[in-house]
């Protein structure tokens, strides 16, 4: 008897294959649509199990991570109370300016201005954390950002080593260097290449995701929060929404992403679109905030406007 299948057997064989394909397709569709909702609601969900390693950021900190752009200053900022002022339009109308200015140290990001917004964001700046992509915008307005009368304000520049590193010797690095030598009251530092790698590793450990393999870019908010934890005993964050804020209120009213760009993009839209972005590199604003929420329990961090 050869391996000959009768007509009837062949037909039922075909039926089985068709049924299997049908079941597979159904599963794929179900799984696929699950993924789609995931993409919208929690695409980059941080695992809450203990497989994630937690890092003691106080021990993780180190001065060697920041090198002076010129001269031989040390990054030795330490403050008991810090106000971390976000760039979100949630700060508008809060009247928090005076309270912010009463903090021992005030931390700001990129080119977020104080002029014209003093009553809500205050007018002191102790530290400004500036992304490589914001350097030009900061340098373009020296009397707002560089000629400060605050005693010895600090600027920390972060970016890929091939852009802001000493070895790069590119336009951006030369510009930062010129700023640092021109404005002697400023202390300018850049994040070292090894510290940049540590920021990536930290993201991996805290989210379970490899930054570059998951096509993610760290935000200035990520760098700023970590640096604040390194240097402050207590941190009060102004204008940062909780991680699930944009998921819970899909139809909530439009809030500009930046307080100084009233006609700019909507904050929640920017967060949600970045969070679910797969092609190209994206900021994981919501994932980062999930980590911040965990850090808030571990370190002394409180959030106001909105309070959470
Ligand atoms: C910076 O720190 C090093 C060692 O930690 C020290 O030798 C040096 O004097 C410090 N420089 C300044 C300007 O404080
Ligand atoms: C800003 O600075 C001026 C003095 O330079 C001060 O009078 C004012 O109270 C400060 N704070 C705010 C919130 O405007
Ligand atoms: C630098 O700081 C001193 C006092 O700390 C101040 O008198 C001077 O005006 C400042 N210079 C600039 C350019 O802001
Ligand atoms: C935590 O921060 C708050 C407000 O900044 C402060 O009142 C409190 O004493 C801090 N707690 C500790 C343990 O440092
Ligand atoms: C992601 O966020 C940045 C702001 O950091 C924004 O410029 C960009 O448009 C956002 N991307 C998407 C797809 O929303």
């Amino acid at each position: 008897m050869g391996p000959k299948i009768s007509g009837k057997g062949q037909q039922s064989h075909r039926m089985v294959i068709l049924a299997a394909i049908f079941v597979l397709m159904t599963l794929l569709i179900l799984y696929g649509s699950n993924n789609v909702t995931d993409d919208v609601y929690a695409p980059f969900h941080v695992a809450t199990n203990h497989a994630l390693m937690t890092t003691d950021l106080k021990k993780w900190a180190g001065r060697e991570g920041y090198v002076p752009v010129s001269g031989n200053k040390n990054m030795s900022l330490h403050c008991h109370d810090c106000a971390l002022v976000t760039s979100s339009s949630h700060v508008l109308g809060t009247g928090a300016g005076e309270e912010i200015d009463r903090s021992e140290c005030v931390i700001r990001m990129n080119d977020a201005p104080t002029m014209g917004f003093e009553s809500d964001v205050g007018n002191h700046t102790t530290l400004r954390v500036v992304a490589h992509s914001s350097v030009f915008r900061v340098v373009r307005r020296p009397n707002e950002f560089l000629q400060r009368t605050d005693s010895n304000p600090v600027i920390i520049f972060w970016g890929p080593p091939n852009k802001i590193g000493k070895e790069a010797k590119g336009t951006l690095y030369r510009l930062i260097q010129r700023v640092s030598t021109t404005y002697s009251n400023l202390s300018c530092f850049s994040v070292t290449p090894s510290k940049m790698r540590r920021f990536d590793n930290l993201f991996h450990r805290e989210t379970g995701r490899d930054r570059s393999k998951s096509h993610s870019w760290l935000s200035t908010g990520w760098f700023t929060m970590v640096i604040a934890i390194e240097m402050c005993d207590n941190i009060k964050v102004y204008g940062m929404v909780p991680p699930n804020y944009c998921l819970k209120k899909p139809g909530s009213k439009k809030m500009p992403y930046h307080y100084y760009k009233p006609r700019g993009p909507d904050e929640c839209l920017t967060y949600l679109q970045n969070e679910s972005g797969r092609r190209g590199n994206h900021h994981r604003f919501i994932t980062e905030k999930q980590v911040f929420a965990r850090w808030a329990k571990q370190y002394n961090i409180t959030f106001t406007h909105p309070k959470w």
Side-chain angles (χ1 to χ4, degrees), residues 49-68:
N49 58 38
H50 293 287
L52 293 176
M53 304 217 247
T54 47
T55 305
D56 185 343
L57 287 174
K58 300 284 184 187
K59 292 196 185 121
W60 185 84
R63 264 166 221 184
E64 67 283 358
Y66 311 96
V67 284

Side-chain angles (χ1 to χ4, degrees), residues 60-299:
W60 185 84
R63 264 166 221 184
E64 67 283 358
Y66 311 96
V67 284
V69 175
S70 65
N72 64 346
K73 289 167 187 160
N74 285 334
M75 166 65 192
S76 56
L77 216 47
H78 177 259
C79 315
H80 186 60
D81 288 303
C82 292
L84 196 171
V85 185
T86 69
S87 305
S88 163
S89 63
H90 283 272
V91 300
L92 294 177
T94 60
E98 281 183 17
E99 182 189 299
I100 289 169
D101 284 343
R102 278 198 300 273
S103 317
E104 188 187 339
C105 295
V106 181
I107 305 171
R108 301 182 195 277
M109 294 180 239
N110 293 327
D111 57 331
T114 55
M115 281 179 193
F117 302 94
E118 291 90 342
S119 62
D120 292 329
V121 304
N123 58 19
H124 291 177
T125 304
T126 319
L127 167 69
R128 199 174 269 282
V129 179
V130 176
H132 56 103
S133 49
S134 290
V135 171
F136 288 108
R137 263 168 286 163
V138 167
V139 172
R140 207 181 296 151
R141 291 164 65 195
N143 43 348
E144 164 78 54
F145 301 118
L146 308 174
Q147 291 161 341
R148 302 292 310 195
T149 46
D150 296 88
S151 56
N152 220 12
V154 173
I155 298 189
I156 295 179
F157 296 99
W158 73 267
N162 67 355
K163 292 218 168 98
I164 62 149
K166 268 198 167 71
E167 302 71 29
K169 302 235 183 288
T171 320
L172 207 53
Y173 182 72
R174 284 202 303 271
L175 183 59
I176 291 170
Q177 215 170 21
R178 192 137 43 87
V179 164
S180 177
T181 48
T182 310
Y183 303 97
S184 52
N185 281 13
L186 276 178
S187 296
C188 296
F189 295 91
S190 60
V191 179
T192 60
S194 68
K195 183 83 168 192
M196 285 300 296
R197 280 194 298 277
R198 296 182 73 203
F199 274 106
D200 279 352
N201 292 340
L202 182 67
F203 181 82
H204 195 164
R205 291 161 73 104
E206 295 286 336
T207 66
R209 299 291 193 115
D210 181 273
R211 185 195 61 75
S212 82
K213 281 187 202 141
S214 63
H215 304 290
S216 306
W217 268 329
L218 300 178
S219 74
T220 299
W222 177 264
F223 287 91
T224 309
M225 182 62 86
V226 173
I227 294 168
I229 294 171
E230 288 181 344
M231 63 177 248
C232 310
D233 298 332
N234 305 297
I235 304 165
K236 193 160 179 183
V237 183
Y238 292 80
M240 187 181 286
V241 299
N244 56 0
Y245 180 87
C246 294
L247 311 171
K248 275 190 173 166
K249 302 183 182 174
S252 68
K253 98 176 197 288
K254 192 169 168 343
M255 295 290 283
Y257 174 57
H258 284 154
Y259 67 80
Y260 48 95
K261 284 180 193 148
R263 272 191 274 275
D266 177 60
E267 181 179 73
C268 276
L269 199 61
T270 304
Y271 286 179
L272 291 169
Q273 287 183 345
N274 266 275
E275 193 69 21
S276 59
R278 297 253 177 251
R279 265 164 266 131
N281 282 334
H282 298 275
H283 292 303
R284 307 302 180 181
F285 296 112
I286 296 173
T287 299
E288 289 183 354
K289 283 174 181 56
Q290 287 170 341
V291 176
F292 298 165
R294 259 189 293 129
W295 285 344
K297 292 182 200 141
Q298 205 173 338
Y299 311 103

Side-chain angles (χ1 to χ4, degrees), residues 25-42:
M25 291 292 278
T26 313
L27 280 175
L28 269 174
I29 288 166
L30 280 176
Y31 182 75
S33 67
N34 244 350
N35 263 3
V36 169
T37 36
D38 263 8
D39 269 338
V40 178
Y41 293 105

